[in-house]
Amino acid sequence: MSVDLTGFLAVVVVAYLVPGPDFLVVVRSAADSPARGRAAALGAQTGLCVHMLAAAAGLSLIAARSPAVYGAVKLLGAAYLVYLGVRAVLAARRAAREDGTGAGAPEDGPAHGRSGFTEGFLTNVLNPKAALFFLSVLPQFVHGTGSPARPILLLGVLDVLIGVVFWFALVTVAARLRTFLARPRVRHRWDLTTGWLFIAIGLTLATTAP
């Protein structure tokens, strides 16, 4: 079997450049601290690994063909994004009530890293569109006869690795926002804006047909 590597790379690069829920999670985490941003990036790519392995095992195909399963995953993912948004909005309002105290960028630490990883992981693993990517997009770049499982798996691994490089580069850029976000008023607006974006994305995911 042959693989259209050039076409695949073009699609993957564009997919990462188009902002989505994982993009917002990584940027927000990186603005809190570089370690948290890197943890969120690794969490997001680990979530993709789950979809990749599920596709290889045929589980994603079952989920995609079952409206009930697909709908349940979609609603769980939407609910989690809304949860992240509500938490950010409440944090902004709480900081405003405290006259801006405590609104600076959080410190680095293991707890923050674990939290960032969890957010990145859940955001991607509960995104049914990520599963459909491995089922419907990757096979288009595999040609020939025989089982496509192995080349699709290899393309999936390449996708994940490209994502790690992209996210880590993004973390380096986004981490520069820390000093700017240390200003209480700026932090307040940042939390409100990203919070409402999470809520909007979650509600859109919940109401959009597959």
Side-chain angles (χ1 to χ4, degrees):
M1 302 192 73
S2 62
V3 174
D4 179 8
L5 189 58
T6 301
F8 167 76
L9 292 176
V11 169
V12 168
V13 170
V14 171
Y16 278 111
L17 289 176
V18 176
D22 47 3
F23 186 97
L24 188 56
V25 166
V26 173
V27 170
R28 180 177 169 82
S29 297
D32 285 344
S33 77
R36 181 181 171 90
R38 289 189 291 270
L42 292 176
Q45 296 312 98
T46 302
L48 283 187
C49 287
V50 172
H51 288 301
M52 179 178 63
L53 294 175
L59 298 178
S60 292
L61 184 60
I62 296 174
R65 291 181 175 177
S66 172
V69 174
Y70 182 90
V73 174
K74 183 178 73 170
L75 290 178
L76 282 174
Y80 184 68
L81 292 176
V82 171
Y83 161 75
L84 292 179
V86 170
R87 192 176 67 178
V89 171
L90 292 178
R93 292 181 176 178
R94 183 169 57 251
R97 287 197 301 268
E98 297 171 354
D99 296 327
T101 58
E107 297 179 357
D108 293 337
H112 289 99
R114 288 193 296 270
S115 176
F117 182 90
T118 300
E119 289 182 5
F121 176 77
L122 291 178
T123 297
N124 260 359
V125 82
L126 293 177
N127 185 358
K129 293 182 179 180
L132 292 179
F133 176 82
F134 285 97
L135 285 175
S136 60
V137 177
L138 291 192
Q140 298 180 25
F141 302 102
V142 179
H143 310 289
T145 59
S147 174
R150 184 174 180 180
I152 288 177
L153 187 61
L154 292 176
L155 289 179
V157 171
L158 183 57
D159 180 0
V160 172
L161 294 177
I162 291 173
V164 170
V165 174
F166 174 79
W167 291 134
F168 274 42
L170 181 65
V171 166
T172 301
V173 175
R176 298 180 182 275
L177 294 172
R178 293 193 73 195
T179 301
F180 181 63
L181 291 176
R183 306 172 187 176
R185 289 186 179 180
V186 174
R187 182 72 192 192
H188 174 72
R189 293 172 183 172
W190 168 260
D191 284 338
L192 282 179
T193 301
T194 55
W196 285 113
L197 280 175
F198 272 125
I199 293 172
I201 295 173
L203 293 177
T204 300
L205 176 62
T207 56
T208 300

